[in-house]
């Protein structure tokens, strides 16, 4: 019941708009009535006017105050406050430790087996090869003009000092039907004693510098020629050895024969 009265008073107060000027005008008209014929004191004549003005003013103030009090005394209905749910902060995912990561990382692929580079077709002449010594330098090779029936082993010899003594021995391994067909050198034939013979499973060519002769400084070549069994012959077991003497002292070189060139 109290809430209904309060609501009606608040609505009346909000709808009421007192016209103070109109009320005062009505009060003044009422005060200015027909003149009284009997004489009254000035105080008596002014009292009704003052009383009416006071009553009108009090009524205005009371009505406005009552309406204001009704409005102030009743709090306005509170509106529900909608609070948005708080958004949870994203939870940081801890990074896996090295030990944990090891369980998830794929193992590294096994290294590919090392590829062996094919060896050069030029065979190593000998484990004890020594192509250079003192004033001598040497190189053995199979002549590029060799065929499936015939071959030639070439020995290139260089000297930086004149040689007063020189012995060259060239051994052609017996690989099947190896037979001597000749030999030659770039030095004068009359300066050497040349022999060819079978010995220890090889055909041996030997050049020996004659006494009193000298091999000059420079590059010189010696060659052994022979037939062999049909097919490509393997010269891996062919060898040479050179022993010489110069003003600088004795020197010796040796080695094998590589592919033809």
């Amino acid at each position: 019941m109290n809430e209904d009265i309060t609501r009606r008073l608040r609505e009346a107060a909000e709808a009421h708009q007192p016209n103070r000027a109109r009320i005062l005008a009505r009060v003044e008209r009422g005060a200015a009535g027909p003149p009284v014929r009997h004489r009254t004191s000035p105080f008596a004549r002014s009292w009704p006017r003052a009383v009416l003005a006071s009553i009108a003013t009090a009524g205005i103030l009371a009505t406005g105050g009552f309406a204001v009090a009704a409005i102030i005394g009743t709090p306005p209905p509170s509106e529900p406050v909608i609070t948005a749910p708080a958004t949870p902060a994203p939870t940081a995912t801890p990074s896996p430790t090295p030990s944990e990561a090891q369980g998830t990382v794929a193992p590294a692929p096994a290294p590919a087996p090392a590829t062996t580079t094919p060896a050069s077709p030029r065979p190593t002449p000998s484990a004890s090869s020594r192509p250079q010594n003192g004033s001598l330098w040497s190189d053995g090779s199979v002549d590029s003009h060799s065929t499936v029936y015939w071959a030639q082993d070439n020995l290139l010899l260089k000297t930086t000092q004149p040689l007063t003594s020189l012995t060259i021995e060239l051994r052609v391994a017996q690989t099947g039907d190896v037979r001597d067909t000749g030999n030659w050198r770039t030095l004068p034939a009359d300066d050497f004693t040349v022999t060819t013979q079978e010995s220890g499973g090889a055909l041996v060519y030997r050049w020996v510098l004659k006494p009193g002769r000298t091999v000059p400084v420079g590059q010189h070549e010696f060659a052994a020629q022979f037939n062999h069994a049909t097919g490509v012959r393997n010269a891996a077991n062919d060898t040479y050895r050179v022993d010489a003497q110069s003003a600088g002292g004795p020197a010796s070189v040796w080695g094998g024969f590589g592919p033809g060139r």
Side-chain angles (χ1 to χ4, degrees), residues 114-158:
T115 303
T116 303
T117 303
S120 170
R122 180 182 178 86
T124 301
S126 173
S128 59
S129 175
R130 186 172 75 176
Q132 185 172 2
N133 177 238
S135 61
L136 297 180
W137 178 92
S138 62
D139 179 58
S141 65
V142 177
D143 193 275
S144 59
H145 296 96
S146 299
T147 69
V148 294
Y149 308 105
W150 174 89
Q152 175 177 300
D153 283 353
N154 298 327
L155 172 62
L156 185 63
L157 181 67
K158 296 180 182 179

Side-chain angles (χ1 to χ4, degrees), residues 12-222:
E14 291 176 354
H16 178 73
Q17 296 180 358
N19 192 334
R20 186 173 178 275
R22 184 177 179 181
I23 293 173
L24 292 177
R26 292 179 63 182
V27 172
E28 290 177 358
R29 284 197 302 270
V36 182
R37 296 185 179 276
H38 61 271
R39 292 179 61 87
T40 58
S41 63
F43 177 79
R45 289 195 303 269
S46 62
W47 180 84
R49 183 179 300 178
V51 170
L52 291 177
S54 298
I55 292 173
T57 302
I60 294 172
L61 294 176
T63 303
F66 182 78
V68 171
I71 296 173
I72 296 175
T74 304
S78 59
E79 297 180 357
V81 179
I82 300 175
T83 304
T87 302
T91 303
T93 303
S95 300
T97 61
S99 60
E100 295 173 345
Q102 290 176 0
T104 58
V105 177
T115 303
T116 303
T117 303
S120 170
R122 180 182 178 86
T124 301
S126 173
S128 59
S129 175
R130 186 172 75 176
Q132 185 172 2
N133 177 238
S135 61
L136 297 180
W137 178 92
S138 62
D139 179 58
S141 65
V142 177
D143 193 275
S144 59
H145 296 96
S146 299
T147 69
V148 294
Y149 308 105
W150 174 89
Q152 175 177 300
D153 283 353
N154 298 327
L155 172 62
L156 185 63
L157 181 67
K158 296 180 182 179
T159 179
T160 57
Q161 293 183 356
L163 303 178
T164 57
S165 173
L166 177 63
T167 299
I168 298 175
E169 185 177 276
L170 193 158
R171 300 177 66 89
V172 179
Q174 185 55 260
T175 56
D177 296 335
V178 174
R179 294 188 303 273
D180 173 40
T181 58
N183 65 86
W184 57 267
R185 80 247 110 236
T186 54
L187 292 169
D190 293 340
D191 290 351
F192 290 89
T193 300
V194 183
T195 61
T196 302
Q197 62 180 1
E198 290 273 355
S199 175
L203 183 60
V204 181
Y205 294 80
R206 184 187 296 268
W207 293 267
V208 178
L209 184 66
K210 293 178 180 179
R213 306 296 174 91
T214 302
V215 176
V217 173
Q219 176 176 301
H220 314 288
E221 190 169 1
F222 298 80

